[in-house]
Every structure is written in C-alpha cells, then in structure tokens.
Amino acid sequence: MKDRMALATRKLGPFEVTAVGFGCMNLSHGYGPPQPREVAERVLRRALDLGVTHFDTAALYGFGINEKLVGDVLRDRPAHVIVASKCGLFGRDGKRVIDGRPESIRALCEESLRNLHSDRIDLYYLHRWDKRVPIEESVGAMSELVRAGKVRAIGLSEVSAGTLRRAHAAHPIAALQSEYSLWTRNPEIAVLAECQRLGVSLVAFSPLSRGFLCGWPARPTDLADGDLRRTMPRFQGGNFEENRRLIAPLQALAGRVGCSIAQLMLAWVLARDRCTLVIPGTTKETHLAENCGADAIRLDVATCAQLDALFPPGKASGARYPAATRVEHDTEEFGS
C-alpha cells in the first residue's frame, strides 16, 4: 500500500516483527464499551496497511470476542504477520477466572484456535500465573501444545525474574509481557536483566501509561462506567491530581524533540534495550499512525537522561492495580 510505513523490526522469540506492535484489547475490552464491529475491523486493517506485523489478543478480552474479531480480520494474513494470544485468565459466566491447570490450558487453547480460525497460535502466553499450580506444570502443558503443533512459541505475562527462570528451565520462553512505561518501571528491578540473560523478548504493554500521560482522561469522571481504570488507584482522588502534574514537563520535552507525547514515551521504552518491543493499543486510526511513527524517533543520551530524571522509579502516585488484583501478580515492584 502507498501509505505503508518502513517500520523497524526486532526479534520476538523466533519471529521477526515490527518493534511497534498493536495491542488489540482496547477494541473489545477494558476501557469502556466495545467498539462497533466496523470501527474495530477498520482499525485492525489500517494497522496491517501501515505495516504492523505483531498483533496481541487474549482469551480474556471481551471473553473471546476480541479473539474472534482478530481471527475474522487476520485469518488470511501474510505468513510474516504474527498473532499472539493468552491462556490462564479468561471469562466464564460473566466472571473473570484464573486457571493454570493443564486441562484448562488445553481446553482454552482449542477454544482460541476456533476463535482465531487457525490450526496453530504463533505465540501463546500464560496470561497470569495461577499460584495454586506450579509454574512448571502450566508451562509443561503449554510445551505439549508446542509438540502437538498447536502453538509455535510460549510466553509469560506479569511474572518475576525468578518465575521466568523456573519456567524457562521447563521449556524455552520466547517472550515476557510486563507493564513498562515512564510511570511503571518495575521491569528494571530484575525482569529486564533476566530477559537479556536468557534471550527472552520483553513485550511492554500499556507503554502509554494507559493514556494518562498523553492527557486523557482530563478528570476521573471522563472514564466510562465499567472502564477498568476507574478501579486503579493512579486514576483516583489525590493520586489523579498529583499525576496530572507529570504531563506538563513531558509535553515540553516532546515539543523540544519535535514529536507527540505518545511518540516520546514509545521511543523511550524502545531505547531501553534491543530485546524490548511495545504493543500500544488504540481505537483511533490517527493515534495508530502516530504510534507507528515513534519507530523513527531516536532519542539522544541527554533526552533519555532528562526523562529518567523526570520519571524516576516510583514517581507515579498510587498503585498500578487495586489490592484485590495486585495479589494476582508476581512482578517485582518499586512500591507501586
């Protein structure tokens, strides 16, 4: 296509994909009502037109609806376009369920294959570690899916460096997803270094601070009913107001670099290490093109130092998740 961008690529386990991928969750799940089907399809096709080759979905998103959307639009995709999905966290009877038992992983994989209109999943993550089940057991079940030809590579999400080591000893782990952005720097405690040591790709989700540092929402009441950000301490009360103060200096620095705040944040994450990729999500085609444009931005040492000074670990006010959700994670944290 004439508007296809010459996007740089990086290793994602055994695959070579665009460093800026596309997180599909927002189209169906999490941030308010799902997008109308025609809008969601148009955004996905636009990502393909721009040259994006890494799409990320999960069984949880829309309780299967997002996988079906991705499957319908990308079922005839070129071979170099990679689709990742996730197991271990899903929806049943209107409820969110964490289940890492081998039989659950096998059953959910079959469901995801049907949703994606495929006979194999390129990259299959354990979305959350079910702490009632040894990580080796869950990964062992996923390795059986690899041997059966139903999965090409295995990933993990939101786990610590220690858990990554244990899992990698059971079966090679291709990628680890973790929230990583200017206001969430937890991977720098240990996970980023462990990924480098093991040759595991680090896939940064929510690299745009869930939209906050881009200037939205302007107030908590802008968030729709059911938007998961309403439950997050960083988007509440005094934390919200304190975090709003972080936007102005970031905006000024983006102006000096000559890019948008979103592009500056994505470029910063990509500059941390060559093993790192980003999967920003959006429901708007203009934002999609803007995010892809971050691929061309090269931050100098001085700019990176300024950003590090503006956003040291722990700078954001409030925890990432409410207490009930935080116990589900296994990540190291800088106190929030």
Side-chain angles (χ1 to χ4, degrees):
M1 300 274 304
K2 63 181 180 180
D3 56 356
R4 185 177 294 273
M5 304 174 75
L7 301 178
T9 62
R10 291 188 176 184
K11 297 294 289 184
L12 176 64
F15 313 111
E16 189 81 20
V17 300
T18 48
V20 179
F22 186 73
C24 302
M25 183 191 80
N26 304 24
L27 299 175
S28 312
H29 181 91
Y31 294 168
Q35 293 298 298
R37 178 69 182 219
E38 64 274 15
V39 172
E41 289 186 1
R42 191 164 60 242
V43 172
L44 282 175
R45 291 195 176 96
R46 178 61 174 159
L48 275 175
D49 289 344
L50 289 170
V52 174
T53 61
H54 176 201
F55 293 81
D56 184 90
T57 182
L60 176 71
Y61 303 157
F63 291 11
I65 291 173
N66 194 252
E67 280 187 329
K68 292 175 182 175
L69 166 70
V70 171
D72 288 347
V73 175
L74 301 183
R75 64 193 304 173
D76 298 320
R77 66 188 182 274
H80 68 286
V81 175
I82 300 306
V83 171
S85 194
K86 309 180 192 73
C87 63
L89 176 60
F90 52 92
R92 282 290 181 270
D93 302 321
K95 296 180 180 178
R96 186 172 171 275
V97 178
I98 295 178
D99 188 345
R101 293 173 302 158
E103 59 268 32
S104 174
I105 288 172
R106 288 191 291 267
L108 199 61
C109 180
E110 295 299 331
E111 191 173 320
S112 292
L113 288 169
R114 289 192 294 272
N115 289 341
L116 294 169
H117 303 297
S118 180
D119 58 1
R120 63 178 180 174
I121 300 170
D122 296 318
L123 175 58
Y124 204 37
Y125 290 95
L126 185 66
H127 204 162
R128 290 292 182 271
W129 173 30
D130 181 351
K131 297 175 184 176
R132 300 166 300 178
V133 180
I135 190 66
E136 294 85 355
E137 239 180 85
S138 296
V139 169
M142 297 173 77
S143 71
E144 291 173 9
L145 296 173
V146 174
R147 288 192 292 273
K150 296 181 178 183
V151 168
R152 298 175 69 187
I154 292 175
L156 301 174
S157 178
E158 290 276 65
V159 299
S160 66
T163 302
L164 172 60
R165 280 193 298 273
R166 287 172 54 195
H168 193 74
H171 186 277
I173 301 300
L176 170 63
Q177 277 199 21
S178 190
E179 183 173 353
Y180 192 21
S181 69
L182 280 171
W183 80 341
T184 299
R185 297 183 60 170
N186 295 331
E188 295 174 9
I189 298 173
V191 159
L192 181 57
E194 195 62 21
C195 284
Q196 293 165 343
R197 189 181 75 83
L198 296 174
V200 174
S201 300
L202 177 66
V203 179
F205 73 82
S206 297
L208 298 178
S209 65
R210 301 186 185 274
F212 190 97
L213 295 181
C214 296
W216 198 90
R219 57 192 67 82
T221 52
D222 289 341
L223 297 170
D225 291 341
D227 190 312
L228 61 83
R229 288 170 291 190
R230 279 182 171 265
T231 70
M232 295 177 174
R234 291 184 181 181
F235 287 82
Q236 297 172 341
N239 290 332
F240 186 97
E241 297 307 319
E242 190 65 28
N243 288 328
R244 287 284 294 176
R245 297 189 178 95
L246 302 173
I247 297 174
L250 185 60
Q251 195 166 33
L253 186 53
R256 289 198 292 275
V257 173
C259 65
S260 69
I261 290 179
Q263 289 173 329
L264 184 64
M265 289 195 286
L266 293 175
W268 178 85
V269 176
L270 291 174
R272 305 309 284 175
D273 190 87
R274 287 289 302 175
C275 78
T276 304
L277 304 92
V278 294
I279 48 169
T282 184
T283 61
K284 296 179 172 58
E285 294 179 57
T286 52
H287 290 170
L288 175 62
E290 179 185 338
N291 293 343
C292 288
D295 171 89
I297 296 169
R298 301 292 179 265
L299 301 181
D300 59 29
V301 173
T303 301
C304 288
Q306 284 180 281
L307 287 167
D308 286 340
L310 284 170
F311 294 91
K315 180 69 172 179
S317 295
R320 290 194 299 142
Y321 291 107
T325 308
R326 289 182 73 188
V327 299
E328 299 173 357
H329 304 114
D330 178 48
T331 51
E332 299 90 352
E333 295 194 340
F334 282 115
S336 67

